[in-house]
Amino acid sequence: MKKRNKITLLVAGCSIVAGALSCTNSQNNNSNQTQNKVGSTDSLQRYVDERLAIYEKVKLTSNLNDLTASERKILPLLIQAAKIMDDLFWKQAYPQRDSLLATIKDEKTRAFVDINYGPWDRLNGDKPFVAGIGPKPDAATFYPVGMTKDELEKSTVKDKYGLYSVIKKDSTGKLSSVPYHILYAAELQKASNLLKQAALLAEDAGLKKYLNLRADALVTDNYGPSDYAWLDMKTNTLDIIIGPIENYEDKLFNARASFESYVLIKDKVWSKRLAKYVSMLPQLQQGLPVEARYKQEKPGTDSELNAYDVVYYAGDCNAGSKTIAVNLPNDEIIQQKKGTRRSQLKNAMKAKFDKILMPIAKELIDKDQQQYINFDAFFANVMFHEVAHGLGIKKTVTGKGFVKEALQEQYSWLEEGKADVLGLYMVTGLLKKGELEGDIKAFYTTYMAGILRSVRFGAASAHGKANMQCFNFFKENGAFIRNSNGTYKVDFSKFETAMNKLSGVILTLQGNGDKAAVEKTQKEMAVISPELQGDLDKLTQKGIPVDIVFEQGVDVLGVK
């Protein structure tokens, strides 16, 4: 999705604490976190005060005038179900939430804990910001404390890498797997009941079917039928994405899914404008700038490309950087058979453009090129990022199975990088074919500003890593220059060349399924240089936010 599409940060050994840059050897993220851990209560408080300011508060609203009476009754039920996903994600990310908050008197620190779903700063390499808290465990709560990767791999557990289960260890040291629908039975039953109630009120046949099947999925962990039903929906106005979906929180294997939810209202006018692009995927796949064996797969075209107002975020998608576009389902088999739905979250996207990207552009983009920055280009770049998840390769050409299985915890960041660069490849190709309106200078310059926005998400973010790689690769290939005043100027001809070259590199890495090669690429390319860090510091000093947080819910929307 991730992915779909995330500051002052701890990355490549560089961090900002109280406005000062410090650098260490960053070969090991956990040791970095320990070395950079703020010691005193006073310094922790200063850190939180500064870091809380990187988020801009935004009201999540939409025009409800066109909703029917039944849709107005359904909306609060969907939000209630979404809130349960929020509670479940807390249990996955930091189950000691209540006891932690009980020890914290400072309201700003409590607010920062809420934003991060725990005591680790998600946009600063998961840096701990509460006294006595050590590094964030890669295993989260998906695996027993202290369990090694080798221990699980050598075990006899049948569901070693299951999407919807947790690994437990008994008193004898034996490992076993517990399904989500058993471990979280009470909460999932409540959410299921709410979806069933909403289904009874639904007038749209597709929505009714999906809500019923998704309700069943929550209490069985069998999500396939509801995923197909979700893709079949065509005429619905309301929508909800709900359940265990993304794998980002599992940094040990990138295997197990985290709970989240989006409550959505379709923008039918914008959605109609976007409908034509999915049918072009097979032709675009054939033209990918990579050897033929890496583009033999045929992308599914029975998909939808829609625009929405998002009116509620919950769980994983609400933690740290906020997603502004979604490409689902993640199931590779469903993707190949049916395709995916690319959901553009237009109101959240516009908020990020106005409050973050434009201020960044005014500080860091060459003055003569700032005229090319516009929302339509930003919207298209983000949209085609999601569409581009459907391009490329899902199975390795080396017999190692699906790319995701072969690359494990290295998969997410590289896949996000693929979607970024292939999205730009799609924009370029469609402009040349006359299928997309606009000036290529606008798309490339806005893309450059987008890179500078997303690298601020840091090393703990798949999107942050992806944009670090892109920045460094494009720099090496002359796609932009850095002016003496610290602004960046795009070289439009070299930008396209670099785009094609990076596309080939990423698709080859994925197709080969060579995890060691991807790890090497991350260490060498997904880093921030001191020079870039210094430029990003200017944004912090100017008070430009890194991301947004929401005022949301039934009260904000005016529904009960």
Side-chain angles (χ1 to χ4, degrees), residues 160-171:
K160 289 181 183 179
Y161 312 116
L163 267 175
Y164 312 124
S165 66
V166 168
I167 299 296
K168 297 286 189 180
K169 181 184 288 188
D170 65 19
S171 58

Side-chain angles (χ1 to χ4, degrees), residues 34 42 52-53 148 178 226 228 234 307 329 335 377 399 446 452:
T34 303
D42 288 344
L52 189 61
T148 64
V178 183
S226 63
Y228 281 111
K234 306 294 182 185
Q335 288 179 3
T446 303
L452 295 169

Side-chain angles (χ1 to χ4, degrees), residues 285-509:
Q285 174 86 351
Q286 293 173 9
L288 289 173
V290 70
E291 290 180 32
R293 62 185 179 139
Y294 296 102
K295 55 183 177 181
Q296 290 178 348
E297 296 176 8
K298 293 183 179 180
T301 57
D302 188 15
S303 303
E304 291 226 341
L305 184 57
N306 297 127
Y308 296 88
D309 278 345
V310 54
V311 295
Y312 203 84
Y313 282 76
D316 191 27
C317 62
N318 196 42
S321 61
K322 308 303 184 293
T323 303
I324 52 178
V326 185
N327 177 53
L328 293 170
N330 285 329
D331 188 307
E332 292 92 344
I333 295 173
I334 296 177
Q335 288 179 3
Q336 289 181 322
K337 287 183 178 179
K338 190 80 172 175
T340 60
R341 171 173 284 132
R342 287 88 174 184
S343 306
Q344 313 304 304
L345 312 183
K346 190 163 137 286
N347 57 341
M349 201 181 296
K350 188 64 164 63
K352 289 203 181 190
F353 179 81
D354 290 341
K355 296 180 180 298
I356 302 173
L357 190 130
M358 279 303 299
I360 287 175
K362 289 177 181 177
E363 288 295 323
L364 295 183
I365 296 297
D366 181 86
K367 186 177 180 181
D368 292 338
Q369 292 189 344
Q370 290 178 17
Q371 61 181 307
Y372 300 126
I373 308 286
N374 63 62
F375 178 70
D376 284 350
F378 181 62
F379 183 88
N381 286 341
V382 175
M383 173 180 70
F384 286 113
H385 164 104
E386 296 305 329
V387 177
H389 277 298
L391 290 175
I393 191 164
K394 300 297 180 187
K395 284 188 176 180
T396 63
V397 300
T398 53
K400 296 181 180 179
F402 285 111
V403 174
K404 186 175 182 179
E405 296 169 349
L407 298 186
Q408 293 184 335
E409 77 279 1
Q410 292 295 325
Y411 170 79
S412 291
W413 80 269
L414 192 65
E415 173 63 20
E416 294 304 330
K418 181 207 81 172
D420 276 342
V421 72
L422 289 191
L424 192 64
Y425 156 81
M426 290 186 69
V427 165
T428 304
L430 291 170
L431 281 169
K432 290 179 178 180
K433 294 176 186 294
E435 298 288 354
L436 185 65
E437 294 181 358
D439 184 344
I440 192 65
K441 293 180 180 179
F443 292 99
Y444 284 2
T445 310
T446 303
Y447 186 90
M448 184 68 212
I451 293 174
L452 295 169
R453 178 182 74 89
S454 295
V455 293
R456 300 173 84 202
F457 295 154
S461 162
H463 296 276
K465 289 189 185 82
N467 280 273
M468 292 170 202
Q469 180 198 31
C470 187
F471 179 92
N472 289 318
F473 192 94
F474 276 36
K475 181 180 180 181
E476 285 184 2
N477 286 271
F480 60 84
I481 61 170
R482 182 181 182 275
N483 297 323
S484 58
N485 64 354
T487 60
Y488 293 84
K489 186 174 184 177
V490 173
D491 184 317
F492 297 110
S493 60
K494 292 181 179 179
F495 214 78
E496 181 175 356
T497 302
M499 169 195 77
N500 287 329
K501 190 175 177 182
L502 181 57
S503 297
V505 168
I506 293 177
L507 290 171
T508 301
L509 284 169

Side-chain angles (χ1 to χ4, degrees), residues 166-233:
V166 168
I167 299 296
K168 297 286 189 180
K169 181 184 288 188
D170 65 19
S171 58
T172 68
K174 183 179 179 181
L175 299 177
S176 62
S177 173
V178 183
Y180 285 177
H181 75 271
I182 293 176
L183 188 63
Y184 306 117
E187 295 93 338
L188 291 171
Q189 187 62 63
K190 289 179 182 178
S192 177
N193 291 342
L194 287 164
L195 295 188
K196 290 283 187 180
Q197 291 177 48
L200 288 173
L201 295 169
E203 299 166 324
D204 182 87
L207 178 62
K208 182 184 288 288
K209 180 180 180 180
Y210 165 64
L211 290 174
N212 277 316
L213 288 174
R214 201 65 174 183
D216 294 338
L218 289 174
V219 294
T220 62
D221 291 327
N222 179 20
Y223 287 90
S226 63
D227 282 339
Y228 281 111
W230 185 67
L231 290 173
D232 285 336
M233 287 194 305

Side-chain angles (χ1 to χ4, degrees), residues 500-556:
N500 287 329
K501 190 175 177 182
L502 181 57
S503 297
V505 168
I506 293 177
L507 290 171
T508 301
L509 284 169
Q510 289 187 321
N512 291 343
D514 188 343
K515 183 180 173 185
V518 178
E519 288 175 337
K520 184 173 184 291
T521 299
Q522 181 195 328
K523 289 179 180 179
E524 293 176 352
M525 298 298 290
V527 296
I528 288 186
S529 68
E531 181 180 70
L532 174 58
Q533 183 64 66
D535 293 334
L536 297 178
D537 291 347
K538 297 176 187 176
L539 306 179
T540 302
Q541 292 160 9
K542 292 283 186 177
I544 297 172
V546 177
D547 214 86
I548 53 181
V549 292
F550 303 117
E551 293 181 32
Q552 58 178 358
V554 293
D555 292 337
V556 173

